[in-house]
Amino acid sequence: MTTFSSRRRSVLLGLAVAVLLAAPSAMAATPSASSRGVHSLPETLSRVDGPPSPPADTGRQVERFKRQLAKSGYVSQSGTEAVFDLNKRYCEGAVFSGMWPNPQSPYIVTNLPEVPGQAPNTNPPVSWRLRQDEAIVLIGTTPPPEEYFSFDLTNVKGSLHTGPVVWTAVGDPVNNKTVRTAGPAPYNRPFALVITGNGRTRSEVDKMLHASGLGGATNNMTVPPAMYRLGLDQDADQFLLGIRTAVAEPGFEKALDDYRAAPPLQVFRVRPQSSSGDETTPVYEPDPLPVPPLRVSGTGATELDLNPTLQLLRQRIIDAHPGFEAHDDVVERGFEESYPGLQDNLVIDPPITGVGALSNDADDPISHNFSLPDGSFVVTYGTNHVATGQASYSSITLNADAHAAVALAAQHNRDLQGSANDFIPDQPDADKLYAWSFSRAGDSGPSGPHVTRLPSTGTDFCAQFGADRPVDLSTIRVVARAYMQPETRTRPALSSLLLDRLLVFTPKK
């Protein structure tokens, strides 16, 4: 039986200490031994903590790139990369909500300094404005072998501290199926990433990277001026670069922990140098890059033929718990797609969903909020989207508190594999489905290897972070994730999935 045990491991991040939380007694970020937890971040949004990211094996390319910048009349400022723990940040009062984070894929976030003289950023250093002839350049090594990683460029409108926010993806992410690296494999390889909205700047920066030895390993991401207002003034849009990493391949768990603890990445904001000394005024004329085409989700194949087996699984789960009353729920589409959501200004303001998520790779159906008191349990069940070929990574996450929306527990597709056999071992498609219990019912509830014991509703969630912000653990919401369909290299079509389902069990009176 999976339980919440006390375990903390400190990881040195230069001047700041990030705390690795695998399953603290207050509530675990991830109850699975194969998902090694969430690192904490610096103390406030207004600080850039930690040393410059280490060069790993790209030190020579970085030095060559710096020389190319100077030779080409560019100036640069260095940033840092560190994990952004939304659970911890909520408890500390730094963010208005956890916004249903994925504890198995803690976000590595790019922290950038402001340009001298610019209008202050709303969420420094994690969000930043971009001069129309400026570029953000990331040089480093891709993550170790894992089921999914992505570099997600997003637009953030509003304050993460006070909320609400509109948080939308800017085009498609670069993921482990699309990334260009210095070698045939996507993992543990040197690469570069360039973010800009200016064609001339992109061309010149790409040439500099080519001269630095990263020509075939350069990935371009566009901030299209047709959709966003570039600039450094108060009305300019702000952006955030987040890196998702999920489910290390067997034997690479520690390597992924180490990657998150000290990302082998160096980030620079680069721009042509102004002769006037005013760094907020563009040097180059506008050369707007067009909106890139989006990858199309869905292949036409579906999971729908598994519906009869899914219905049988439901009945078998109910039959296995005769002393409890079962209540059905199902996840539903929780977020609008990013570009329609941006145009409609749909906000995230829990318990409202609206628009969000850090990636167009992610399909994140979400349940209603429901009560899970002590003495009860919930069984999540459905198709294992990786086993059906619809995703590269899938998971089920329990989030607590309608407003705080912090992550309480999660299981990913490897954990879920084979769990439906507890109820339908006689069905040939059993391995394509799952059934996992999250329990507060103690010995009277479900038992076995496919059960996670939840903390009681009276547990102080924020105590694990040394904070006392209240979190209502009795109110639960479930998020079902399906990332990157292998064939399309983007999210599966929602219409192709059998939606994950819930059975909430309370004692019969």
Side-chain angles (χ1 to χ4, degrees), residues 100-272:
W100 314 284
N102 182 358
Q104 297 179 328
S105 180
Y107 312 126
I108 300 171
V109 173
T110 296
N111 303 311
L112 286 173
E114 295 178 349
V115 173
Q118 75 158 82
N121 295 327
T122 305
N123 306 293
V126 299
S127 73
W128 27 270
R129 307 179 196 275
L130 190 68
R131 204 174 85 178
Q132 70 86 2
D133 60 349
E134 194 173 22
I136 307 303
V137 180
L138 191 69
I139 300 175
T141 305
T142 53
E146 57 190 305
E147 292 196 346
Y148 175 81
F149 71 72
S150 66
F151 297 83
D152 301 308
L153 179 62
T154 60
N155 171 228
V156 182
K157 296 180 183 292
S159 168
L160 292 172
H161 178 64
T162 62
V165 295
V166 176
W167 196 343
T168 57
V170 181
D172 284 318
V174 172
N175 60 43
N176 52 313
K177 289 284 189 180
T178 64
V179 68
R180 292 161 54 92
T181 68
Y187 308 109
N188 284 331
R189 303 301 302 165
F191 80 107
L193 181 69
V194 179
I195 300 169
T196 187
N198 187 289
R200 177 178 175 182
T201 300
R202 170 181 288 178
S203 177
E204 293 180 355
V205 170
D206 284 356
K207 288 178 181 177
M208 295 181 217
L209 289 167
H210 187 275
S212 304
L214 293 167
T218 297
N219 303 266
N220 286 306
M221 302 184 83
T222 301
V223 182
M227 294 292 294
Y228 302 97
R229 191 181 188 282
L230 297 177
L232 300 175
D233 58 277
Q234 193 67 43
D235 296 327
D237 280 320
Q238 297 179 59
F239 304 94
L240 183 151
L241 180 64
I243 305 170
R244 293 175 183 261
T245 55
V247 192
E249 294 292 341
F252 290 92
E253 293 85 358
K254 183 179 184 302
L256 181 54
D257 284 349
D258 293 344
Y259 190 94
R260 291 168 176 167
L265 306 164
Q266 295 197 64
V267 61
F268 308 92
R269 59 184 313 160
V270 305
R271 54 191 174 272

Side-chain angles (χ1 to χ4, degrees), residues 118-467:
Q118 75 158 82
N121 295 327
T122 305
N123 306 293
V126 299
S127 73
W128 27 270
R129 307 179 196 275
L130 190 68
R131 204 174 85 178
Q132 70 86 2
D133 60 349
E134 194 173 22
I136 307 303
V137 180
L138 191 69
I139 300 175
T141 305
T142 53
E146 57 190 305
E147 292 196 346
Y148 175 81
F149 71 72
S150 66
F151 297 83
D152 301 308
L153 179 62
T154 60
N155 171 228
V156 182
K157 296 180 183 292
S159 168
L160 292 172
H161 178 64
T162 62
V165 295
V166 176
W167 196 343
T168 57
V170 181
D172 284 318
V174 172
N175 60 43
N176 52 313
K177 289 284 189 180
T178 64
V179 68
R180 292 161 54 92
T181 68
Y187 308 109
N188 284 331
R189 303 301 302 165
F191 80 107
L193 181 69
V194 179
I195 300 169
T196 187
N198 187 289
R200 177 178 175 182
T201 300
R202 170 181 288 178
S203 177
E204 293 180 355
V205 170
D206 284 356
K207 288 178 181 177
M208 295 181 217
L209 289 167
H210 187 275
S212 304
L214 293 167
T218 297
N219 303 266
N220 286 306
M221 302 184 83
T222 301
V223 182
M227 294 292 294
Y228 302 97
R229 191 181 188 282
L230 297 177
L232 300 175
D233 58 277
Q234 193 67 43
D235 296 327
D237 280 320
Q238 297 179 59
F239 304 94
L240 183 151
L241 180 64
I243 305 170
R244 293 175 183 261
T245 55
V247 192
E249 294 292 341
F252 290 92
E253 293 85 358
K254 183 179 184 302
L256 181 54
D257 284 349
D258 293 344
Y259 190 94
R260 291 168 176 167
L265 306 164
Q266 295 197 64
V267 61
F268 308 92
R269 59 184 313 160
V270 305
R271 54 191 174 272
Q273 187 167 20
S274 171
S275 58
S276 68
D278 181 1
E279 295 191 55
T280 65
T281 301
V283 174
Y284 294 164
E285 292 295 319
D287 185 10
L289 289 164
V291 179
L294 296 173
R295 293 191 286 271
V296 179
S297 62
T299 63
T302 79
E303 300 173 339
L304 303 183
D305 280 333
L306 293 171
N307 188 50
T309 309
L310 181 69
Q311 299 306 320
L312 176 63
L313 175 59
R314 172 189 176 275
Q315 190 58 51
R316 295 272 183 89
I317 294 170
I318 293 173
D319 293 345
H321 304 291
F324 290 82
E325 195 76 35
H327 305 275
D328 286 288
D329 199 357
V330 64
V331 298
E332 61 187 25
R333 181 171 180 164
F335 303 97
E336 179 56 272
E337 294 184 7
S338 284
Y339 283 155
L342 175 65
Q343 295 171 75
D344 288 341
N345 202 43
L346 297 180
V347 300
I348 297 175
D349 190 12
I352 300 168
T353 46
V355 67
L358 284 183
S359 175
N360 274 333
D361 268 358
D363 210 332
D364 294 352
I366 193 167
S367 77
H368 304 98
N369 288 310
F370 61 92
S371 177
L372 193 68
D374 292 336
S376 64
F377 61 96
V378 58
V379 181
T380 61
Y381 67 102
T383 54
N384 185 326
H385 303 305
V386 174
T388 65
Q390 288 287 343
S392 298
Y393 161 85
S394 63
S395 67
I396 199 82
T397 301
L398 266 64
N399 296 95
D401 194 307
H403 174 78
V406 293
L408 183 59
Q411 299 291 341
H412 57 67
N413 53 277
R414 286 192 192 162
D415 302 325
L416 302 175
Q417 189 67 38
S419 58
N421 282 302
D422 294 348
F423 303 97
I424 52 170
D426 55 335
Q427 297 300 303
D429 291 324
D431 283 342
K432 294 182 179 179
L433 287 86
Y434 78 92
W436 196 279
S437 301
F438 298 89
S439 178
R440 286 190 170 127
D443 293 340
S444 64
S447 61
H450 303 129
V451 179
T452 296
R453 285 187 174 176
L454 297 177
S456 71
T457 58
T459 305
D460 184 354
F461 179 88
C462 288
Q464 62 186 298
F465 305 111

